Amino acid sequence: MMDQNLFNEICLRQLTLSAVHEGETVAVLTRGNDRAEYADAFLWAIGRLGAQGFHLRLPAPSSASGAWAVGDSGLRDNRLAVEALKSVDMVVDCTFLLFSPEQFEIQAAGTRILTAVEPAPLLARLMPTAELRERVEVGAELLAKARTMRITSPHGTDVTYRLGVYPTMSEYGYTDQPGRWDHWPAAFVFTGGADDGVDGRIVLAPGDVLLPFNTYVQTPVEITIEEGFIRDIRGGAGSSGLDADLLRSYIDSFDDPRGYGMSHVGWGLDERAHWHGLTQFGGGMGMELRSFYGNVMFSIGPNNELGGPNDTACHFDIPMRGNSLYLDDELVVDAGELTVAQMRPVTRR
């Protein structure tokens, strides 16, 4: 953990971007003993901005499942806490509410939510900026207009998503609009294919990222997708098949066939984020890997974040390097380089 005074100032910069002001009320949510210093820093920053703040600390989870099951917020049987969070202008979520019905309910009440769970040095290095937000929003506008997405790679990936069913989402690391959620740090755009509208083959190559394993692919993996579901996972030619076996075993451990459903898909835009980020801080929650410039990321499992019916607890995000992405046959990501000048940082234009 960095110096507390420095972290206080970083949280002040974050809440200033998130437009916290006098007359607002902000709740900081933690669980057990986790991130108590985050709560202290945010409460200090809230006071400096003239807003009212309070710290809502939930009990620690009673047990660890051994597998990352999304959607368990710790709020399911705590209606008083949910109502308290619905009553404020903003929640700083230091627990990871994402995919939970309670988060959706809080957002529906007009409360904006910022998730902050990554290591403090990473939060500092990837502090959001208005300029990055503008570039992310350019990407979101392009994606929202598209009706097809095609992803290809030199390794054999060729998969098509039928778009237009689900909304486009943008993440740029702060939130200043009622009901909006964001994650600090983040810089990417995504949407979902139609439930039966993803078809083709994805070939994972060494160096692609497996989240939440927080590991890099070591051996090629061939994934066959038909009508929105993975039908086959196997090792690539000449491969031991280890990564394929691990991926398949993890999904099967949930005993839920919906874990093989295709979820969101998009690309990263933050040139400050490092592909090698797993070598620092153990990767944290992996937001740096989701955000690094020019990665193409597809996801497996739940799509309820986009309003879809799949709320399985099995979730996988896989950022890939060196892929190309087309929207309505227009090249948008060219082997890891963004082709649209307005999405590129000034230094790459």
Side-chain angles (χ1 to χ4, degrees):
M1 180 64 190
M2 66 171 58
D3 176 78
Q4 188 68 43
N5 290 329
L6 178 57
F7 193 45
N8 289 349
E9 293 294 338
I10 289 167
C11 291
L12 178 60
R13 288 171 60 191
Q14 163 59 242
L15 293 188
T16 300
L17 283 169
S18 291
V20 173
H21 59 270
E22 186 175 354
E24 286 199 314
T25 301
V26 182
V28 183
L29 179 67
T30 68
R31 200 168 180 180
N33 295 321
D34 290 343
R35 304 183 183 91
E37 66 276 19
Y38 286 39
D40 291 341
F42 278 112
L43 288 171
W44 178 87
I46 292 164
R48 283 291 303 273
L49 292 169
Q52 297 294 314
F54 64 87
H55 178 192
L56 178 54
R57 177 185 170 196
L58 299 175
S62 58
S63 63
S65 66
W68 180 48
V70 300
D72 176 16
S73 67
L75 290 168
R76 185 180 60 184
D77 299 317
N78 194 334
R79 290 305 309 171
L80 187 60
V82 172
E83 293 301 324
L85 297 175
K86 288 167 60 178
S87 73
V88 303
D89 297 287
M90 179 174 175
V91 171
V92 178
D93 167 29
C94 299
T95 70
F96 205 69
L97 295 174
L98 188 61
F99 297 110
S100 70
E102 293 78 25
Q103 170 163 325
F104 301 145
E105 183 179 348
I106 293 165
Q107 288 180 256
T111 299
R112 62 192 191 274
I113 300 175
L114 177 77
T115 295
V117 295
E118 294 283 13
L122 184 60
L123 298 179
R125 178 161 58 80
L126 298 183
M127 173 63 66
T129 69
E131 185 268 344
L132 183 58
R133 173 182 179 169
E134 291 175 1
R135 292 194 278 121
V136 169
E137 290 182 332
V138 168
E141 184 176 351
L142 288 174
L143 184 54
K145 294 176 180 178
R147 288 300 171 262
T148 63
M149 176 190 293
R150 183 186 178 202
I151 302 168
T152 64
S153 81
H155 310 288
T157 292
D158 195 342
V159 61
T160 301
Y161 287 72
R162 188 171 80 249
L163 306 181
V165 174
Y166 292 115
T168 293
M169 309 289 282
S170 62
E171 294 185 28
Y172 43 79
Y174 62 97
T175 176
D176 58 2
Q177 302 163 11
R180 188 178 188 280
W181 171 84
D182 213 312
H183 197 158
W184 177 25
F188 55 91
V189 295
F190 62 95
T191 188
D195 293 340
D196 61 350
V198 185
D199 295 276
R201 184 172 75 147
I202 294 176
V203 181
L204 305 183
D208 292 340
V209 187
L210 299 173
L211 303 169
F213 285 2
N214 279 13
T215 60
Y216 296 100
V217 171
Q218 302 293 316
T219 60
V221 179
E222 296 183 1
I223 301 172
T224 301
I225 304 116
E226 296 175 357
E227 296 184 338
F229 277 82
I230 293 171
R231 306 300 182 184
D232 186 59
I233 300 176
R234 65 180 61 195
S239 164
S240 67
L242 176 59
D243 285 300
D245 290 345
L246 287 170
L247 180 56
R248 190 186 316 104
S249 178
Y250 180 82
I251 298 172
D252 286 345
S253 72
F254 289 85
D255 195 26
D256 183 351
R258 299 177 304 161
Y260 283 96
M262 297 297 286
S263 182
H264 60 80
V265 63
W267 65 90
L269 292 105
D270 195 342
E271 73 284 359
R272 305 168 303 168
H274 299 318
W275 161 71
H276 68 261
L278 292 182
T279 65
Q280 299 174 292
F281 323 120
M285 287 291 294
M287 293 308 294
E288 181 167 24
L289 281 300
R290 293 174 173 89
S291 301
F292 76 85
Y293 183 85
N295 88 78
V296 173
M297 182 177 72
F298 78 99
S299 301
I300 302 168
N303 65 0
N304 55 339
E305 179 188 13
L306 294 166
N310 190 343
D311 62 355
T312 180
C314 176
H315 182 58
F316 234 100
D317 284 344
I318 305 180
M320 302 179 293
R321 296 189 302 161
N323 281 227
S324 296
L325 183 149
Y326 301 79
L327 296 178
D328 296 335
D329 297 324
E330 193 79 27
L331 184 63
V332 174
V333 182
D334 183 6
E337 178 62 62
L338 302 179
T339 66
V340 179
Q342 295 91 331
M343 283 196 293
R344 296 155 70 175
V346 172
T347 56
R348 300 177 88 113
R349 292 178 187 172

